[in-house]
Amino acid sequence: MNHTTLLIFKLVAETQSVTQAAKQLGRAQSNITTRIQQLEEELDAELFVRGNKKMLLSPAGQNFLSYARRIL
């Protein structure tokens, strides 16, 4: 995990959207999705509950968001 990964996670959490995060970062949606999946694998935790076009934080994701904000 690095600074960029934490920033990506934070933006997806705040916008509840991979599409919006990708636009803000000037990256492809697939890159954002891959980074989130890699982070979840690294932490061995589901950080988001994927819904109808929304990425809602899971309880583990809510805990991790506070950590990510402190680091950033």
Side-chain angles (χ1 to χ4, degrees):
M1 156 183 7
N2 59 33
H3 182 269
T4 302
T5 301
L6 291 176
L7 181 60
I8 288 170
F9 168 76
K10 180 179 163 289
L11 279 173
V12 173
E14 291 174 350
T15 62
Q16 298 181 345
S17 169
V18 168
T19 303
Q20 291 301 317
K23 284 181 185 177
Q24 288 183 29
L25 293 168
R27 293 176 177 255
Q29 290 178 352
S30 61
N31 176 264
I32 302 299
T33 300
T34 299
R35 296 291 283 264
I36 293 294
Q37 288 172 342
Q38 289 171 342
L39 180 60
E40 288 179 322
E41 287 177 19
E42 184 178 342
L43 297 173
D44 193 27
E46 184 178 19
L47 300 174
F48 291 96
V49 177
R50 283 113 173 124
N52 292 336
K53 296 187 178 186
K54 282 193 177 181
M55 297 280 287
L56 303 174
L57 285 171
S58 69
Q62 291 173 355
N63 288 336
F64 190 71
L65 180 59
S66 66
Y67 168 79
R69 284 180 173 151
R70 285 191 307 255
I71 297 296
L72 293 169

